[in-house]
Amino acid sequence: MRLLLDGDDDYAVHRAAYQWADPASGRITVDPTPHTTSPAYLARDVLRAMGRDGFLRPEAERMSTDPAWRAVTCWTLNCGLDEVIVLRAHRLTTERLRRLAAWHADTGIRLTLLVHTPEQTDFQRLLDHLTAAELVDVVTIRGTAAVLEAIGPAATGRRSGPPPHDHAYPLPVLPRSSVAAFRADCWRRQNATDFAHSDGQYRAGYAAARTWLARTLPPPPASDGGIESADGPAEPTPFTLQETEALRLFLARLTVSSPSAAHTVARVRGAQAGFLSHSVLLNVPDDLTSCAGPGLTTVPITPRTVHTITVRLPNPLRAAAIAALLFTGTEKSLLSMTQIGSVDEDGTTVAIDRDSRINIGEPPGPRHLYAVPPRARPLLHAAVEFRRRTPRTADNHGLFANCFGTTPRFEALIADAGFPLPVLAHPHAGDDWHTAARCWYLHTPAPPAPDILPRLGELRP
């Protein structure tokens, strides 16, 4: 830890500290709110320096001291923060310095205290506070020139404002055809540009399905696994519980980033064709667009989406809850069953075991599995870390506790986020579409099929 002494209270030092900061590169400058000694306010000042300042709105949720500092620690560990400069450190109380010391010990950040002390008494009082806070291993740097050199050069290429909106080519209305005729019907009914975009999504689903089948599933069971008939092949064999869970996760990963329901339909039809090329039948709900779930009632987790969530929701639990509603597209009653242990160690999967929680004593069924987009994983990691650092917490406790429990609290969460959530206004009485999907081994010779579909001709019939 470093202690920079700006005895002349030079404005150039203050400006250099601000220009050095670049949250995107893991460097922030914290300017404590004047005329307050509350440790909670200091935590909010740190969160504001990170860019998480949604609590500044009058109607936003406030965090008390311990949750606020847990949020600071969790965001630091999961968002790449490495270096921190704290201005006006000579005004910090012993309790505030203790909080900074604990933050430094928990995260390993490089902490710099910038002291503007024209009076020797201010400096001596700070030394006494540092000793009381057990901050004794401190490197002291004096003089304006040495302090400016210690701060370092100004950040270059620093971005201000939210990222630009993402754009996806809108697909036309797709035919309500089965997998056998879907691609041909698209080719007949669409112009060349529209078909190129529709077919790109279809081909992506086809290639993903063939790759997943080759890497994930074992060879199809022998014919004696089904019911033999006197004059025909074995009956189709359904997927096992483990294979069904793997299928649900594959479908979620395939569609979680779909920018529209039409993109999802095209990808799923392509995946069905890829499954058939391996003699596997994939059955999904007839009218996908009337269902809920990944790719249908979800919002792509783009850089702008993540920026909005993190700015408006400094609480890691609230940020992860909104992100989960956006990338799962499922109803909040199911998402509220998410346990801390439901998120895998890499933060790539959320597994909700609804059946065992509702039907106690019943044999376990396939879990509801959802893929976590890469940009949402730091939010899930921070939420899990926040819950595990909360006293008296176990892995079987709810991850999103106090987020979905009561209508007023949930409405306040939606208001804080400021996001339209398609799942809340979508008719989704049944299961999510990917949990209603089923697969069977057909036990028929696999037709010769390329890994990549050939392009259709330019002529129209």
Side-chain angles (χ1 to χ4, degrees), residues 273-290:
F275 274 70
L276 281 177
S277 70
H278 278 264
S279 295
V280 178
L281 176 63
L282 169 61
N283 186 27
V284 297
D286 293 334
D287 187 5
L288 280 175
T289 56
S290 66

Side-chain angles (χ1 to χ4, degrees), residues 255-458:
T255 58
V256 69
S257 61
S258 291
S260 72
H263 288 77
T264 297
V265 172
R267 293 181 189 183
V268 172
R269 293 289 181 250
Q272 288 181 287
F275 274 70
L276 281 177
S277 70
H278 278 264
S279 295
V280 178
L281 176 63
L282 169 61
N283 186 27
V284 297
D286 293 334
D287 187 5
L288 280 175
T289 56
S290 66
C291 300
L296 299 176
T297 51
T298 53
V299 174
I301 305 297
T302 63
R304 190 179 183 93
T305 303
V306 173
H307 173 84
T308 303
I309 292 173
T310 55
V311 165
R312 297 181 66 92
L313 296 169
N315 188 319
L317 291 184
R318 310 289 188 262
I322 287 295
L325 280 171
L326 293 179
F327 69 73
T328 62
T330 192
E331 56 183 333
K332 64 183 180 68
S333 62
L334 176 62
L335 202 57
S336 64
M337 298 182 184
T338 307
Q339 299 175 350
I340 299 173
S342 298
V343 182
D344 68 339
E345 292 185 2
D346 297 327
T348 60
T349 305
V350 175
I352 305 174
D353 192 2
R354 183 186 69 173
D355 295 338
S356 67
R357 298 192 66 181
I358 294 178
N359 305 312
I360 299 175
E362 294 285 332
R367 295 170 298 171
H368 294 244
L369 286 149
Y370 297 89
V372 182
R375 294 189 185 96
R377 290 169 191 170
L379 305 181
L380 267 292
H381 276 301
V384 171
E385 185 77 18
F386 186 90
R387 289 289 290 144
R388 285 180 172 158
R389 287 175 176 269
T390 303
R392 298 178 297 278
T393 297
D395 276 358
N396 62 345
H397 290 180
L399 175 60
F400 302 126
N402 300 324
C403 293
F404 307 130
T406 62
T407 299
R409 184 177 291 276
F410 182 66
E411 290 176 348
L413 173 63
I414 300 302
D416 285 347
F419 259 117
L421 300 176
V423 68
L424 299 182
H426 194 278
H428 53 281
D431 288 339
D432 292 341
W433 73 270
H434 74 305
T435 63
R438 298 293 182 268
C439 254
W440 293 268
Y441 293 108
L442 297 180
H443 305 300
T444 58
D451 287 335
I452 300 177
L453 287 172
R455 297 188 179 276
L456 297 180
E458 295 296 332

Side-chain angles (χ1 to χ4, degrees), residues 93-115:
T93 63
T94 302
E95 178 58 28
R96 285 183 154 200
L97 288 171
R98 285 198 181 102
R99 293 286 180 172
L100 290 175
W103 179 32
H104 169 66
D106 287 343
T107 61
I109 57 171
R110 186 186 187 192
L111 182 61
T112 299
L113 301 181
L114 186 54
V115 181

